[in-house]
Every structure is written in structure tokens, then in C-alpha cells.
Amino acid sequence: MKCPVCNHENGDARFCERCGSNLKGTHASDNPVESATHTDSSDASSEYTRWSSTQEPASNRKESASSSISPIPSPAHDHDDARSADAREPHSAQSSSGNQWNNLVQNEKVQQAKEVSKQYLSYFLSVLARPYQTMKTVGEHHALHGWITMALFAILTSTYFLIMFGRLGADGLFIGGFLRPLLFTAIILIAAAALIYGVLKLERITFRPKIMIAQFGALLAPAVVTLLLANLMVVISYSFAISLLVLSYIIVFVAMNAVLFHHPLNRTQAALDSMYSVLIANAVLFYVTYRLLYAVIAGLFGPLFSPYGRL
């Protein structure tokens, strides 16, 4: 067989004795050289393609991957964000619930204060019209109104001294002209209530302290109005304002005695006659009132007349 490559005559051999070409497979193509060349080139190109794809730089692969795949959040970062959000939600819920509770409590207190003020205003007007008759019908639930009336009496007394000594230009006005009269007036009223309690206990009379406070407070309603007029008149006439102040304290003595005589005194079980017990109560209250009011007036007027006071 003649070799198609080198034209060497080889007989019946399978491979060429000169160039070693395959004599049996070269007939598959009309142009063996071109076919072999094309096959080798195609195989080489495919092998090169596979090799280049595997040997592609990591930077290029990262860029292509980042361009083709959308970014995915990190699980740890998402966990932190979720945990912070969960931590913020209870705090915000707790703060909002706390604010709602505070607002609810404040609104409830405001509503209660409005309701009490309305009830007290109607109560005060009815008591002012007929104080003694109302005093005989009050109950334990009117004890709060009695305390409010006593508080108003103390506050109006303090404002009276504050206005009067403020116009005179006295020193230590807030302490001596407001706080001290407020404290001393509260002591006087508490002393009057304590004296009523003591006399009734001495007379061995069964009574309820809350009703006693309600009765005493009901009889102080005219004294509150008198002090209010004294505060208004202090800027017009000192003498008339002082007369109204004295009248208000006279009403305190009358209220104490009215409460005492409202109860059935002069019982045989009493250790002391009712006349003397009531007299002692009035004397003690007068002494306490005199000493405390004198201390207030002397404390404010003392620096004005002392040798080292103002000229």
C-alpha cells in the first residue's frame, strides 16, 4: 500500500515504514491532511476553552458573580438588626403604655378634683345660707368639706397678712407674712377641733369624729366669706379690714361653742360641770389665738420699731 503522506510503497503494512503514518484510517476523508489538521485544531480549541475557563482569575470571577447575583444580606447582620428592633419595640411599647397610664391617672385626678370642687361649691352655698340648720344634718361624708373649709380659712388668713404687710414694706414677707400665719392659723383650727373632742369625751358623750369635723367646718363658712371680704378691703381701709379679721376669729369661737351645745351636755356622768368645761375650752382657744397672732404681728412689725430697724 502506498503511503498517502510520503508516497512510499509499503505493501500490505498498516503503518508506513518511512513516516509511520496510519495507512488504514486515512481513507475516511478525501483530504486527510486537512481533516487531521481541522480535527486537531478543533480539539485543541475546545481543550483551550476548558483550560481558560478553569484558569480564570479569581478577581474576574468575583466581578462576574457580583454583577450577575444580587447582594444578599448577612445572616448575622440581619439577626443583630432583628434583635435591636425587638429590643426597641418592648421599650417603646413600655414607654407608650407608661405615658398612657400617667395621662389616664392625671385625667382621673383632674376629673375627681373638678367633681369635688363642684360638690363643694354647691355645699358651701347651701351652708352659707343656713349654717346652723345645715350643721345639724351633715354626715360623715361631709368631713372632707369641713377640712376644705378649714384650709380655706387658713389660706385666706395668710393672704390677708401677706397683702397688709406687703403694703407696709415689711421684711421677710413670704416667711413672716404667709408661711407663719398659715401654720399658726392651722394650729388654731386644730386646737379648736381638739377642744371640742376633749369636752365631748369629758362629758362622756358618744359621737363620731368625722361628723364633728363636718359640723365645725359647716359653721366656719361665714368666717371664710368674712376673710375674703377682709382681703378685698385691706387695699381700701385698714381699720375695716382688721375689723373683718377679728370678726372671722369670733366666728371660730362661736362655731366651737355651737358644736358643743348641739350635743346633750350636762349629763350626770360628767366629771366636771358643762359650764366649766366649755369655759375652759374657750379660755384655752383664746390664749392660743392671742399668742399665735401676736407672734405673727410682732415678727413683722418688730424690725420696724426696733432701734436697729429701718429708719
Side-chain angles (χ1 to χ4, degrees):
M1 182 178 288
K2 188 177 182 178
C3 179
V5 179
C6 62
N7 296 323
H8 179 71
E9 190 68 26
N10 294 293
D12 197 16
R14 187 176 180 180
F15 295 96
C16 180
E17 297 176 352
R18 179 182 293 179
C19 65
S21 299
N22 188 1
L23 300 177
K24 296 296 183 180
T26 55
H27 64 278
S29 175
D30 294 335
N31 193 353
V33 177
E34 183 179 359
S35 175
T37 306
H38 179 73
T39 303
D40 294 341
S41 62
S42 62
D43 293 340
S45 62
S46 62
E47 291 293 334
Y48 176 76
T49 303
R50 288 193 297 270
W51 177 84
S52 62
S53 63
T54 58
Q55 298 297 324
E56 187 178 2
S59 61
N60 295 335
R61 289 200 301 271
K62 290 181 180 179
E63 291 178 358
S64 63
S66 62
S67 63
S68 61
I69 302 175
S70 60
I72 300 176
S74 174
H77 182 68
D78 292 344
H79 181 68
D80 293 339
D81 292 342
R83 185 167 56 186
S84 61
D86 293 338
R88 286 194 301 268
E89 286 179 359
H91 179 70
S92 60
Q94 184 178 3
S95 61
S96 61
S97 62
N99 293 331
Q100 291 177 358
W101 174 254
N102 292 331
N103 294 332
L104 181 62
V105 171
Q106 291 178 359
N107 292 333
E108 185 177 357
K109 290 182 178 179
V110 170
Q111 294 298 329
Q112 290 178 355
K114 289 182 179 179
E115 188 66 23
V116 170
S117 62
K118 290 180 181 179
Q119 293 178 359
Y120 179 76
L121 182 60
S122 60
Y123 162 81
F124 185 83
L125 294 176
S126 63
V127 170
L128 188 62
R130 302 178 67 86
Y132 188 76
Q133 296 298 327
T134 307
M135 183 268 296
K136 293 189 295 184
T137 59
V138 294
E140 291 185 354
H141 59 281
H142 293 105
L144 177 61
H145 296 157
W147 287 113
I148 293 175
T149 305
M150 294 168 67
L152 287 176
F153 184 90
I155 293 173
L156 289 174
T157 302
S158 300
T159 55
Y160 172 83
F161 284 106
L162 183 65
I163 296 172
M164 184 178 68
F165 292 113
R167 291 174 59 86
L168 295 176
D171 297 329
L173 192 60
F174 180 73
I175 296 177
F178 184 79
L179 292 181
R180 187 178 295 173
L182 180 65
L183 177 62
F184 289 173
T185 306
I187 293 174
I188 292 171
L189 295 176
I190 293 174
L195 289 171
I196 297 173
Y197 182 87
V199 171
L200 294 180
K201 281 294 183 180
L202 186 64
E203 294 284 330
R204 298 180 182 179
I205 296 175
T206 303
F207 67 98
R208 295 182 179 179
K210 288 186 178 181
I211 296 179
M212 182 199 73
I213 294 297
Q215 293 172 346
F216 182 61
L219 295 176
L220 288 180
V224 171
V225 176
T226 305
L227 277 174
L228 183 60
L229 293 175
N231 280 270
L232 297 175
M233 294 300 297
V234 71
V235 296
I236 300 174
S237 173
Y238 284 117
S239 60
F240 189 66
I242 293 174
S243 301
L244 291 175
L245 177 68
V246 173
L247 178 61
S248 66
Y249 276 89
I250 292 176
I251 295 175
V252 174
F253 282 85
V254 173
M256 183 185 70
N257 288 277
V259 174
L260 288 175
F261 286 108
H262 172 67
H263 293 83
L265 301 179
N266 197 22
R267 287 190 173 184
T268 57
Q269 299 91 341
L272 186 66
D273 189 79
S274 302
M275 178 66 183
Y276 295 114
S277 59
V278 173
L279 181 61
I280 292 172
N282 283 270
V284 172
L285 183 61
F286 177 80
Y287 179 77
V288 172
T289 304
Y290 167 75
R291 293 298 300 175
L292 293 181
L293 291 180
Y294 177 80
V296 172
I297 297 173
L300 289 171
F301 277 120
L304 295 176
F305 299 102
S306 65
Y308 301 100
R310 294 184 303 173
L311 298 177

